[in-house]
Amino acid sequence: MKNRWARVIHAVFVSSGIFLAMVPAQGVVAQSFVSSEALEKRIDAIMSGMTLEQKVGQMVQGNIPHVSPEDVARYHLGSVLNGGGTSPTGKKGAAVSDWLTSADGYYRASLNMRFGGAGIPIIWGTDAVHGHNNVVGATLFPHNIGLGATHDIALVAAIGAATAREVAVTGLDWVFAPTVAVAKDDRWGRTYESFSDDPDLVAQYGAAMVTGLQGTHGEWSEPGKVIATAKHFVGDGGTFRGKDQGDTRLDKATLMQLHGAGYPPAIKAGVQTVMATFNSWNGAKVHGNKELLTDVLKGDLGFDGFVIGDWNGHGQVKGCSDKSCPQAINAGIDMMMVPEKWKRFLENTLRQARAGTIPEARVNDAVRRILRVKLRMGLFSKGAPSTRPLAGNTSILGAPKHRELARRAVRQSLVLLKNNNAVLPLKKRQKVLVGGDGADNIGKQSGGWTLTWQGTQNTHADFPGATSIYAGLKEAIEEVDGSVELTQTDEWTQRPDVAVVVFGEDPYAEGSGDRADLTFKDANRTNQALIEKLRAENIPVVSIFLTGRPMYTNTQINQSEAFVVAWLPGSEGAGIADVLVADQTGAPRFDFSGRLAFDWPNSPVNEFNANLPVQAILFERDYGLDYQQEKINLSSDLTELSVEDDMLAPQVVFSGTTRSPFSAYVGDARDWGVLVSGPLTETLGGGLAVSSVDGMLQEDSRRIEWKGAGESQFYWKASSTVDWRQYLQNDAALAMTFRVDKHPEGRVTQRIDCGYPCTGTVPMTRFFKAIPEGRWVRVGIPLRCFAEAGVDFSRITSPLVLLADKPFTVTIKDLRVSNDLTAAALVACK
């Protein structure tokens, strides 16, 4: 085992000009951290002067919207984080200067001793999972599932190094990456965060990313290195039915062999933090499992950094809440991620430590580990974030060499599943139609964890310097004297020689990404209409599939002459054109080199037991065609199966994130159509604000607050009309899970729109006033109520419009059209 990990680490440094230029010249072998006697003596000296309040403060991490610099000084907090999509300004698009100003504020507060602090520098953690993905203008690399398909360890390490440099520009010290989960059931909504379903591959890529982020020696003497996090320990990729935060049911040996494989090489590479997992192990939450967190991770594996909890993960431990959980600390979590309720948690932890519920030795061990990491990184001597070597150097953020690295990763990640009649590469002087809702959509090609947590509510303006797939194809095709036409529908002006259709999954992140089966169900029917029309006119179709997981796509493969899996490529869409378009001689510019790092399914569910991962495989791991091989045409009669629902499937508008084809808007008399984007959006007049908040899980709800500054509205609108007549015929209802936070002081109306002037309004003032404040409820309004009010359900444009003119606050967790509500949960038509 030991020799195998040594080979893995050594393999990171195979020849790669880009990577070698980024590592120190004095060595190329990653070293594990050895805790020196001098370091431990310094920790002893610091801890000898610390009070219990100071120690417990080091063990608590809060989310920046809920932590002020004064809080850091007063409560001696050890860390802050910016949760997915959170920025220093509270809005998407914060400038580098905003990040640095905020980082300096927290840093200086941590050294301020006016409240009796110990002068210990704070550490700021961020989710930089495919580049510095919370910052506008950063390079966005392919998600891990795409990197796994490159089978290029050195490339992964180079991406880690580039990401670290861009993070350093904003003055931050710590990233919650890499994920070393081994996704075994692709229904899991975090599959794209996994490099592979092969534990050995995950072990290699995880170690490479750690080395790239932290450096080859881990002394952080080279500018632009950050602390890495191996996550999530352990078993997150093996839950029952692929359910996020679910239960992993394995014996310990199998658990560690399959899902723990990434941790020994990450520790060997010097990873300084490990994040505990949300999931349970055989029914018990890992956040409270001492056997795994202490005996295995810190004991058997020798990890001497610190364990960080996940977003209120301790609150899921039996007998715990978000505000109190001595069980998790005693189990071995050293720093608790308590985004919002950190103050109550800190107070309770102090009381539990004084009472001996949390032993003094456990507190001291946790603080020692935290200080060890901070000292190793040099936080005590690095100075304020804005004074560090790369801080504020905006030329590094989205730098040309980083974008070229990302573009290289894109072309190496592409997997060619089918290329009948050598339709690829695209030849010179061809007339090419480019269509599909992913063709000119940088947000869709980037996926989740992109500026917003779920990766939704983004526009092209949010991606300065990035290139869409269409833009890259257009440039490359025109270079070889071809012509390109972009269509957003199923129409075109000039008959093409070939069509490239880009489609796939819409962005999502954890929770919202879970699926019942692996059938690709295209929410945008325009894509399918375009493909069917092209086939009817005998125009060859090249499908570019954007996805965060292998999916059952037999229908789409059958309909395509060529089928390319592009995963979630990120900001450099031109990397696709590099491989798809030939040069002037007709030769490929670059060949397909990507190979599947996951098996590709030949069934939507396991045909023998739906609780288990899919067993029928169409393409095995390592499959992938290229231009050099002589291949027999792939048959176009692959079996096409479907999963039939017992009842009409619900039409989800919002559940944790807004679902395609809908988008959320706010409006008032100054502008009735402001797109909701980022963690906070307000009307131009300031009378209505929409914010992302924790409902039952992380940022799974939207708080809509009318402030009483005149009439304003919140609504969801479809990109094209939707037909809900079948739901109306089945007596379905518009069902909403919500909480009234403040009763309305004035009039509230709710309506469904079907294209001006078609609309149907229902008065809701009395209804919302009757709901107890602070209580979650699920209530439905029958669609027939809106039909009676004038709605034409054949052409719905806005499924919900809420309008108020006085103070009123409601938090919405879920909105869908469904026929599963009981009679007691339905509102009577008025």
Side-chain angles (χ1 to χ4, degrees):
M1 177 71 76
K2 183 176 181 180
N3 289 337
R4 180 162 71 95
W5 297 137
R7 291 195 301 272
V8 167
I9 300 302
H10 179 73
V12 170
F13 302 98
V14 297
S15 58
S16 171
I18 294 176
F19 178 62
L20 293 180
M22 294 182 176
V23 299
Q26 63 265 33
V28 291
V29 178
Q31 301 292 326
S32 59
F33 288 90
V34 177
S35 202
S36 69
E37 183 178 352
L39 176 65
E40 298 304 318
K41 284 184 176 179
R42 188 172 179 191
I43 296 172
D44 289 339
I46 295 171
M47 291 184 63
S48 66
M50 293 178 70
T51 65
L52 181 61
E53 288 82 0
Q54 294 165 358
K55 291 177 180 179
V56 170
Q58 285 296 302
M59 298 167 63
V60 176
Q61 179 189 67
N63 194 23
I64 58 172
H66 307 291
V67 180
S68 68
E70 182 169 335
D71 289 332
V72 170
R74 185 180 295 274
Y75 296 97
H76 326 301
L77 298 184
S79 180
V80 292
L81 83 152
N82 60 288
T86 302
S87 77
T89 62
K91 297 182 180 180
K92 185 170 57 177
V96 168
S97 59
D98 295 322
W99 290 89
L100 289 172
T101 298
S102 187
D104 278 355
Y106 288 122
Y107 173 83
R108 292 190 176 110
S110 68
L111 301 184
N112 190 325
M113 299 186 193
R114 67 189 176 102
F115 296 111
I120 298 171
I122 199 166
I123 186 169
W124 182 331
T126 189
D127 288 291
V129 298
H130 66 131
H132 200 10
N133 48 258
N134 284 309
V135 178
V136 170
T139 308
L140 298 174
F141 297 94
H143 273 290
N144 285 354
I145 193 169
L147 298 184
T150 70
H151 294 269
D152 189 335
I153 300 171
L155 175 64
V156 173
I159 288 170
T163 298
R165 288 172 62 82
E166 297 203 11
V167 170
V169 170
T170 56
L172 309 191
D173 309 295
W174 179 19
V175 301
F176 301 138
T179 298
V180 292
V182 181
K184 285 297 187 181
D185 192 325
D186 298 338
R187 292 176 290 185
W188 185 38
R190 304 189 75 161
T191 296
Y192 64 81
E193 296 185 50
S194 176
F195 291 108
S196 176
D197 60 10
D198 179 356
D200 286 339
L201 291 179
V202 170
Q204 296 176 50
Y205 300 140
M209 186 63 78
V210 168
T211 302
L213 290 165
Q214 293 193 166
T216 55
H217 293 280
E219 297 171 353
W220 291 281
S221 56
E222 181 193 6
K225 293 300 175 186
V226 296
I227 290 172
T229 306
K231 65 182 189 182
H232 307 84
F233 193 83
V234 60
D236 48 345
T239 58
F240 182 68
R241 293 183 67 95
K243 181 176 175 56
D244 191 49
Q245 304 185 20
D247 189 23
T248 303
R249 303 171 182 179
L250 295 169
D251 62 85
K252 185 167 74 172
T254 306
L255 175 76
M256 294 309 299
Q257 179 184 13
L258 287 180
H259 300 286
Y263 293 93
I267 293 169
K268 175 74 174 177
V271 71
Q272 287 298 280
T273 65
V274 170
M275 185 178 288
T277 186
F278 277 122
N279 62 269
S280 301
W281 176 45
N282 294 328
K285 286 291 180 179
V286 174
H287 267 69
N289 194 300
K290 183 175 184 292
E291 180 181 6
L292 292 178
L293 296 175
T294 297
D295 299 344
V296 174
L297 178 59
K298 297 177 179 178
D300 297 344
L301 300 185
F303 175 64
D304 71 349
F306 70 82
V307 177
I308 174 74
D310 208 340
W311 189 283
N312 282 332
H314 57 277
Q316 299 183 22
V317 175
K318 185 177 181 180
C320 290
S321 70
D322 292 351
K323 302 172 185 176
S324 175
C325 193
Q327 296 94 316
I329 295 173
N330 289 337
I333 296 182
D334 303 303
M335 183 181 285
M336 311 298 294
M337 189 185 292
V338 198
E340 184 175 355
K341 300 174 182 177
W342 60 267
K343 191 178 296 184
R344 290 288 304 277
F345 182 89
L346 189 151
E347 292 168 350
N348 286 327
T349 302
L350 268 173
R351 184 164 52 252
Q352 291 151 1
R354 290 189 179 114
T357 305
I358 302 172
E360 180 182 6
R362 175 76 272 268
V363 172
N364 287 338
D365 175 60
V367 176
R368 174 173 293 276
R369 289 172 174 274
I370 293 166
L371 291 176
R372 185 181 291 141
V373 172
K374 290 184 175 184
L375 284 166
R376 281 174 173 165
M377 192 188 179
L379 285 183
F380 285 78
S381 58
K382 290 177 71 172
S386 65
T387 67
R388 298 170 191 173
L390 304 186
N393 188 343
T394 55
S395 67
I396 295 173
L397 196 70
K401 69 176 181 180
H402 293 169
R403 291 191 182 277
E404 178 51 43
L405 180 65
R407 183 167 174 169
R408 172 187 157 198
V410 172
R411 61 179 177 253
Q412 289 186 212
S413 69
L414 303 178
V415 179
L416 180 63
L417 299 186
K418 178 181 181 181
N419 189 25
N420 284 9
N421 302 312
V423 66
L424 292 177
L426 302 175
K427 314 302 189 295
K428 62 182 180 180
R429 291 191 290 274
Q430 282 186 319
K431 295 186 290 291
V432 181
L433 180 72
V434 179
D437 67 336
D440 199 28
N441 190 334
I442 299 172
K444 181 158 182 163
Q445 73 190 42
S446 298
W449 293 105
T450 301
L451 299 181
T452 64
W453 176 37
Q454 296 287 330
T456 56
Q457 303 170 351
N458 293 318
T459 68
H460 269 207
D462 296 318
F463 300 99
T467 306
S468 72
I469 295 170
Y470 159 69
L473 286 169
K474 184 177 188 298
E475 181 179 3
I477 291 167
E478 289 178 349
E479 284 178 359
V480 292
D481 305 318
S483 64
V484 179
E485 179 182 347
L486 175 67
T487 180
Q488 303 286 0
T489 64
D490 60 350
E491 302 290 334
W492 55 83
T493 303
Q494 184 179 28
R495 178 182 172 85
D497 298 314
V498 62
V500 178
V501 185
V502 188
F503 61 94
E505 290 193 292
D506 292 312
Y508 57 83
E510 55 193 283
S512 296
D514 287 357
R515 298 181 59 93
D517 64 80
L518 292 177
T519 304
F520 172 64
K521 300 171 184 175
D522 196 348
N524 191 333
R525 294 181 177 87
T526 303
N527 296 324
Q528 185 60 33
L530 174 60
I531 291 174
E532 290 175 355
K533 185 172 181 180
L534 289 164
R535 284 170 53 81
E537 300 198 19
N538 295 315
I539 298 169
V541 174
V542 175
S543 288
I544 307 297
F545 188 50
L546 302 174
T547 184
R549 64 188 118 210
M551 300 199 75
Y552 181 68
T553 51
N554 284 16
T555 297
Q556 291 76 24
I557 294 173
N558 282 341
Q559 293 174 331
S560 308
E561 284 294 292
F563 194 91
V564 178
V565 184
W567 311 110
L568 299 170
S571 61
E572 307 312 302
I576 292 173
D578 289 344
V579 183
L580 264 65
V581 182
D583 63 19
Q584 285 283 4
T585 70
R589 306 179 192 211
F590 293 91
D591 203 349
F592 282 95
S593 60
R595 300 293 181 264
L596 293 176
F598 288 79
D599 290 331
W600 194 271
N602 197 26
S603 177
V605 294
N606 187 304
E607 57 269 46
F608 303 109
N609 185 345
N611 292 324
L612 300 178
V614 170
Q615 183 176 349
I617 303 303
L618 180 61
F619 302 111
E620 294 184 348
R621 187 193 313 122
D622 294 327
Y623 176 86
L625 305 179
D626 58 44
Y627 292 135
Q628 306 304 315
Q629 297 165 319
E630 291 293 333
K631 292 288 183 180
I632 299 175
N633 281 358
L634 182 66
S635 170
S636 291
D637 58 359
L638 299 176
T639 303
E640 299 181 17
L641 305 174
S642 63
V643 177
E644 298 294 339
D645 295 326
D646 294 332
M647 61 179 71
L648 187 62
Q651 171 72 66
V652 179
V653 177
F654 176 84
S655 183
T657 183
T658 298
R659 305 300 178 88
S660 180
F662 303 101
S663 297
Y665 294 84
V666 295
D668 60 13
R670 294 180 60 181
D671 187 341
W672 291 106
V674 177
L675 178 68
V676 173
S677 179
L680 175 66
T681 303
E682 296 177 301
T683 55
L684 295 187
L688 174 60
V690 178
S691 55
S692 300
V693 297
D694 292 2
M696 299 177 185
L697 298 173
Q698 178 183 348
E699 298 179 10
D700 64 347
S701 302
R702 299 294 177 267
R703 177 176 292 148
I704 308 157
E705 181 181 4
W706 283 265
K707 301 175 183 179
E711 191 173 67
S712 51
Q713 64 184 22
F714 168 83
Y715 60 101
W716 276 284
K717 183 178 179 181
S719 57
S720 58
T721 60
V722 293
D723 187 342
W724 281 357
R725 285 175 293 182
Q726 189 175 4
Y727 292 99
L728 177 64
Q729 293 163 6
N730 281 269
D731 202 24
L734 185 65
M736 185 165 70
T737 303
F738 68 97
R739 180 184 67 204
V740 173
D741 300 307
K742 179 180 174 57
H743 283 138
E745 296 181 14
R747 176 178 55 88
V748 180
T749 60
Q750 180 174 332
R751 71 177 194 261
I752 293 178
D753 289 347
C754 40
Y756 183 82
C758 177
T759 189
T761 300
V762 175
M764 296 293 287
T765 309
R766 292 175 57 190
F767 169 78
F768 283 117
K769 284 185 175 181
I771 301 293
E773 289 185 349
R775 181 184 301 176
W776 287 104
V777 295
R778 184 171 188 251
V779 176
I781 303 176
L783 295 185
R784 51 185 159 80
C785 299
F786 294 100
E788 293 168 4
V791 173
D792 178 355
F793 277 90
S794 70
R795 51 189 183 100
I796 300 299
T797 54
S798 293
L800 177 141
V801 182
L802 276 178
L803 188 145
D805 59 355
K806 297 287 177 63
F808 168 46
T809 305
V810 62
T811 298
I812 299 176
K813 183 180 183 297
D814 188 277
L815 179 73
R816 64 184 63 203
V817 177
S818 178
N819 55 6
D820 65 344
L821 280 80
T822 64
L826 293 174
V827 176
C829 296
K830 297 177 182 179

